[in-house]
Amino acid sequence: MNVSNKAAAPEATAGGAASPAIVQRTDGVYFRADAGAAACVAAVNQLFQARAYFTGIDYGVFIRMLYEAGPELPPEYKDKPLVRFADAVAPFSEQRRSLYKSVRIIAGEAEYYFEPVYLNSGTPEETPSNLDFGEFVADMWEKGIRFGIDAPVVSQAIEEGKSTRLTVARRLSPAPGQDAMIVEVSQKIHRSNAPKEMANGRFDLHTYQNRFPQVAAHTPLLKKVPRVPGTRGFELSGIPVEPPLPEDVELNPMAGAGTVIQHLAGEDFLVSSVEGFINVDRRSKRISIGPKIISREGVSVRTTGNLQLSGEYEEFGEVQEGRVVDGFNITIHADVFGKIVSRGGSIHLKQNLMGGAATNADGPITVGGVVSNSVVHAKVGQVTLNSVQNSVITAPRVIITEATNCEIVADEVVIGVANGCAIAARNISIESAGPRKQSEMLLFALVPDTSKFDQLLQEVAIRLAQLDAQAQKLKAQIDAITSQQDVRSYLTLATKVRKQEVTLTPEQLPLFQKMAVQVGPALKEVARLSVASKEGEGQRAVLEKQAEQLREQKAAVAGEARCKVAAISGETLLRTMVFKPDEGPMIELPPREVKARLRAGTYVQPPIFNSGGGEIDWSTKT
C-alpha cells in the first residue's frame, strides 16, 4: 500500500477499498463510528504493515475504537458518523524506524529504555534527532504491543530526551462483575428490637417494639438485582481476557405461601399476595406470609423479650421464666416457664408448664406434658391436662389424667387419679381419690345460693294473701247491699224483664222506673265494688304468674350438683359449698383466693361424706 502524507481528496478510505473503517480527510483521520472494533483493528494493522503511522494520534480515542476499553469517547462524538483520532497518515521510513529500540516484556508490563537518539545521515557524524509518539505507537504495534501504552509517560519521556528506563505499557486485568443478589425493598419486613414505648411515654424494657413484622397484601418485599457482567481485560498483544461470569440467583425458591413473583418495570419482585405475618424458613430461606406467626428462637430476654401479638403464634423454642406471650391461638412446642395469655382461640402447650401460667379468655387450654407449680385458667372453654402437681386450675370444664396437691374450681371436673387435692365443682367425677402426705382430699359440691328467690317468693305470697283478704272484704260488702229487700226485689224483677219472663204493662212501667231510681245509689256502689274485685283478680293472676317464673328461675339456678368417686383410697371428705351466682362464677377468683377458700378449713356446711374407703355417689336430686 502506498502511503502519502498528502491528502489527495477531501475524503478517502485509508488502506484501500478492503479497509473501510478508517477515513482520511483534509482535517484529520477518522474511524467510522459504525465500524466494529475488529474492522478497526484490521484497518490499523494493514496500515502499520504498509510502513505508515498516524501523526497527532489521540491514543485514548484510538484504544476506545479498537478495543472498547479505556475512557469513554468525548461528548462531541456522540451520534456522529466519524470519530477523529489523528491528524494525518504519514510514511514510517526504515531510517526513522531504526531509532526505536527493542522492548522488554515482563509479567504483563513492557519496559523501554529511553536515551538520546541520532539519525544516520550517511556522513561520518550522526545528526541528533527526536522520537515521535505516533511512530512509537506504530513501532510497538509491530513488536507485539498493541494495547496499554501509557501515552502521558511516553510523551513526557520523548519530550525530555533523557536516558531512563520506564514502563511504557501494561496489560489490563479483567474487572470482575457483580453477582446477582436479592435486596429488601420494604422497611416493613424489618424487626425492631428497640424497647416498646407505652402510652405514658415511658419505655417497657422487657418488650420489643416490633419483633414479628406484619405486611399488607400487594406489598413488594424483595427485589432481584440482576448480575452485572465484568469488564473485559486485554493483554499487551490486544488479546482480550474475559472476566469470570458472575453468579446468578433466582427469586422463585424464596417464594412461599402467601407470596408471588411479579415483573414490574423490568425488574423481578417478591410481592405479598395476602395480609399477614412474615415467616422465614432458616434452612430454605423461603418466605411465607400467613395469619400465624412461626418462631423457632424461643421467648427470652435475649431473643424476643415479652411478646404482644395481634395474630396466631407458634413457637418451637422454650418460653423463659418471667417472659409473657400475649396473643391469639397460641401453640408452644417446647417447655414453658413463663406466662401464656391468649385472647381467644386455643392454647396448646405440647411439652411442660413449669412455674408459669396459661390463661385463655375465650377458648380451651391443652397441656401435653407436666403442669407443676403453675396456674391454668380458661374463662370459656375446657382445660385438658395430663399430669398436674401443686397447681391452681380454674375453668368451666376440667379434664385431668392425674392431679396431685392441686386446687381446682370448675363447673365440671373429670379426673382419673386425684391425690391431696381440693376440688370445688357442680359436677365431680373421679375414678380414684385419696389424701397425699399432709394434704387432705377435699371435695366441694357447689350449690348456688337461692335465698334471693325464696325472699321474692315470700313477698309474692304475702301480696297474694293481701289480695285474697281484700277480695273477701269486697264480696262481703256486695252481699250486704244486694241482700236489702228493695234492692233484691228490683234485681229479681229486672232479671225477669231482661229475660222476657215478665212483660210490664204501660201502667207498671212508671212504677218499675221509680224503683230503679230508688235503688240507683246502691246499684252504683255494687258496680264499684265489682270493678275493684275484678282488678284484684287481675293482680292475683299476675302475681301467680310471677311466682311460677320465680320458681322456674330458682330451679334453673339450683340445677343439680353431683359428686361421684369410683374408688376412695384414703380419708376423703365431701361437703357442699354455697356460692352466690350474682357475684360471678368462682372460676374467676384469683389463685390466692381459690386456695384460701378451698384450704382454709373454716367450713360452714358439715361433711356429707367422710370415709377412708368405698365410693361416693351423691346428688342434690336424691
Side-chain angles (χ1 to χ4, degrees), residues 596-620:
R597 288 202 184 187
L598 300 187
R599 298 288 192 182
T602 56
Y603 307 111
V604 178
Q605 303 295 334
I608 299 173
F609 180 91
N610 184 358
S611 177
E615 64 176 13
I616 300 176
D617 191 356
W618 175 88
S619 170
T620 54

Side-chain angles (χ1 to χ4, degrees), residues 170-192:
R170 294 179 177 86
R171 72 184 293 272
L172 176 64
S173 299
Q178 182 177 348
D179 294 340
M181 56 184 174
I182 306 299
V183 298
E184 299 173 356
V185 295
S186 174
Q187 292 297 322
K188 294 182 179 180
I189 67 176
H190 283 288
R191 291 176 172 177
S192 175

Side-chain angles (χ1 to χ4, degrees), residues 246-309:
E247 296 291 334
D248 199 8
V249 68
E250 294 295 335
L251 277 172
N252 290 330
M254 303 183 70
T259 65
V260 294
I261 305 296
Q262 291 186 357
H263 193 69
L264 305 173
E267 296 180 300
D268 291 331
F269 290 87
L270 179 68
V271 181
S272 61
S273 58
V274 297
E275 180 180 0
F277 294 93
I278 297 177
N279 294 301
V280 181
D281 189 306
R282 287 187 173 184
R283 294 182 179 180
S284 65
K285 306 301 182 183
R286 186 182 298 270
I287 296 177
S288 59
I289 299 175
K292 178 186 291 186
I293 301 170
I294 299 177
S295 172
R296 303 180 186 274
E297 299 176 339
V299 180
S300 66
V301 174
R302 180 182 58 83
T303 58
T304 63
N306 293 340
L307 294 178
Q308 294 181 354
L309 310 171

Side-chain angles (χ1 to χ4, degrees), residues 246-443:
E247 296 291 334
D248 199 8
V249 68
E250 294 295 335
L251 277 172
N252 290 330
M254 303 183 70
T259 65
V260 294
I261 305 296
Q262 291 186 357
H263 193 69
L264 305 173
E267 296 180 300
D268 291 331
F269 290 87
L270 179 68
V271 181
S272 61
S273 58
V274 297
E275 180 180 0
F277 294 93
I278 297 177
N279 294 301
V280 181
D281 189 306
R282 287 187 173 184
R283 294 182 179 180
S284 65
K285 306 301 182 183
R286 186 182 298 270
I287 296 177
S288 59
I289 299 175
K292 178 186 291 186
I293 301 170
I294 299 177
S295 172
R296 303 180 186 274
E297 299 176 339
V299 180
S300 66
V301 174
R302 180 182 58 83
T303 58
T304 63
N306 293 340
L307 294 178
Q308 294 181 354
L309 310 171
S310 59
E312 299 181 38
Y313 181 70
E314 184 173 5
E315 175 61 67
F316 286 85
E318 289 185 354
V319 178
Q320 191 182 68
E321 181 181 359
R323 297 306 97 207
V324 179
V325 177
D326 187 336
F328 177 87
N329 210 16
I330 300 172
T331 300
I332 310 293
H333 292 265
D335 292 340
V336 174
F337 301 92
K339 186 176 182 181
I340 308 300
V341 180
S342 180
R343 296 182 296 277
S346 64
I347 293 178
H348 191 182
L349 309 183
K350 296 194 174 183
Q351 296 299 324
N352 304 316
L353 176 62
M354 311 295 286
T359 304
N360 197 344
D362 188 14
I365 299 175
T366 303
V367 181
V370 175
V371 177
S372 179
N373 297 299
S374 300
V375 174
V376 179
H377 169 64
K379 185 175 182 179
V380 178
Q382 175 175 298
V383 169
T384 304
L385 308 176
N386 184 23
S387 177
V388 190
Q389 305 168 2
N390 306 310
S391 299
V392 177
I393 315 298
T394 55
R397 190 167 191 262
V398 174
I399 299 177
I400 303 175
T401 303
E402 182 177 358
T404 304
N405 295 338
C406 295
E407 290 77 35
I408 302 170
V409 176
D411 291 333
E412 180 182 3
V413 172
V414 179
I415 301 179
V417 178
N419 295 313
C421 296
I423 302 171
R426 297 280 285 159
N427 193 338
I428 301 173
S429 178
I430 303 175
E431 294 180 9
S432 176
R436 171 75 173 179
K437 295 183 179 180
Q438 303 301 320
S439 298
E440 297 179 293
M441 185 66 211
L442 304 175
L443 302 175

